[in-house]
Amino acid sequence: KRVRTKVRSGEAYSFFGKSTRMWYVIQVISGKEEITLDMIKKYGAQKYVKECFSPKYERRRKYLGQWHQEKAILFPGYIFVISDQVEELYQALKKIPELTKLLGVGEKWTPMTKEDVEIVELLSGKERVVKFSEGYIAGDKVVVVKGPLKGMEGTIRKVDRHKRKAYLEIPMFGRVLNAQVGLEIVEKS
């Protein structure tokens, strides 16, 4: 039986409200995310993928007496895949030596929950990069006024004002992931 779909802002949705393109997570060796992304292209798995990425975050580091803006991996050890040809993709991915695990339940590779997808999209946007946020500290409370962390203050575990970083605890994949993102504290009262 064939299901008709509508296209809304680049994503395909069935009339039953379910996306035909699902998000999946691949666990890889931490620090080898970019190499694995290249291998996915090299081994031909890319043709089964709408998008394959490892989200990054903007950070500022001070060296040689100046602040420099850089990008770093948001979730070390994880790659995100959006596909509507999951069985073909799964078979193609099995040929790639750098992969360690396809996240799922038991032996089955399962898609991310809607809530997990929303967190990744909210943080990283279309560019898949978490932009720098700005905020202030009022007493012992962090208030974010600008950037992707606005409204997500509850995920902030710790702030390092000198390194301009926020350390987050984000519930995803049925566990709590730790992540770092750029946060400029402009005032403390």
Side-chain angles (χ1 to χ4, degrees):
K1 188 175 176 182
R2 218 168 162 188
V3 179
R4 292 180 11 189
T5 58
K6 285 189 212 183
V7 176
R8 187 182 316 140
S9 69
E11 289 285 323
Y13 293 87
S14 74
F15 284 112
F16 302 111
K18 255 183 133 178
S19 174
T20 58
R21 289 193 177 127
M22 302 299 287
W23 287 51
Y24 299 90
V25 180
I26 302 169
Q27 192 171 20
V28 299
I29 298 167
S30 192
K32 298 211 175 206
E33 297 85 2
E34 296 298 325
I35 292 168
T36 306
L37 287 169
D38 290 340
M39 290 181 107
I40 288 172
K41 292 175 188 164
K42 179 181 172 186
Y43 281 82
Q46 189 70 28
K47 62 185 169 190
Y48 305 116
V49 171
K50 178 188 181 250
E51 188 177 357
C52 187
F53 62 95
S54 184
K56 296 180 174 43
Y57 70 96
E58 291 179 348
R59 68 179 179 187
R60 295 184 183 147
R61 293 180 57 199
K62 191 173 186 176
Y63 52 90
L64 301 175
Q66 293 184 321
W67 284 98
H68 301 267
Q69 189 148 313
E70 304 172 339
K71 291 180 185 168
I73 301 291
L74 180 62
F75 299 114
Y78 296 97
I79 290 178
F80 296 80
V81 177
I82 304 172
S83 177
D84 57 1
Q85 298 178 13
V86 69
E87 194 54 45
E88 297 90 341
L89 175 61
Y90 178 76
Q91 294 304 321
L93 289 174
K94 285 176 25 175
K95 300 173 187 169
I96 300 173
E98 294 296 324
L99 297 182
T100 60
K101 186 173 162 186
L102 305 172
L103 292 190
V105 179
E107 293 293 315
K108 188 175 180 189
W109 194 25
T110 55
M112 290 173 62
T113 65
K114 181 181 176 188
E115 293 78 18
D116 289 353
V117 170
E118 286 173 355
I119 289 171
V120 174
E121 287 191 317
L122 181 69
L123 282 173
S124 64
K126 291 182 182 187
E127 296 174 19
R128 308 297 184 212
V129 176
V130 181
K131 302 291 185 191
F132 229 80
S133 293
E134 281 186 16
Y136 61 90
I137 297 175
D140 61 350
K141 186 177 174 187
V142 176
V143 180
V144 179
V145 294
K146 180 179 161 191
L149 285 182
K150 186 175 181 180
M152 293 187 68
E153 288 89 344
T155 63
I156 299 173
R157 185 186 73 206
K158 177 178 142 186
V159 174
D160 186 329
R161 292 179 59 209
H162 300 291
K163 290 186 178 181
R164 300 176 180 184
K165 280 186 185 178
Y167 296 86
L168 310 179
E169 286 185 344
I170 303 171
M172 288 183 80
F173 325 131
R175 61 186 91 171
V176 176
L177 291 183
N178 294 316
Q180 301 174 26
V181 293
L183 175 62
E184 180 80 44
I185 298 296
V186 293
E187 181 181 329
K188 183 176 180 180
S189 58

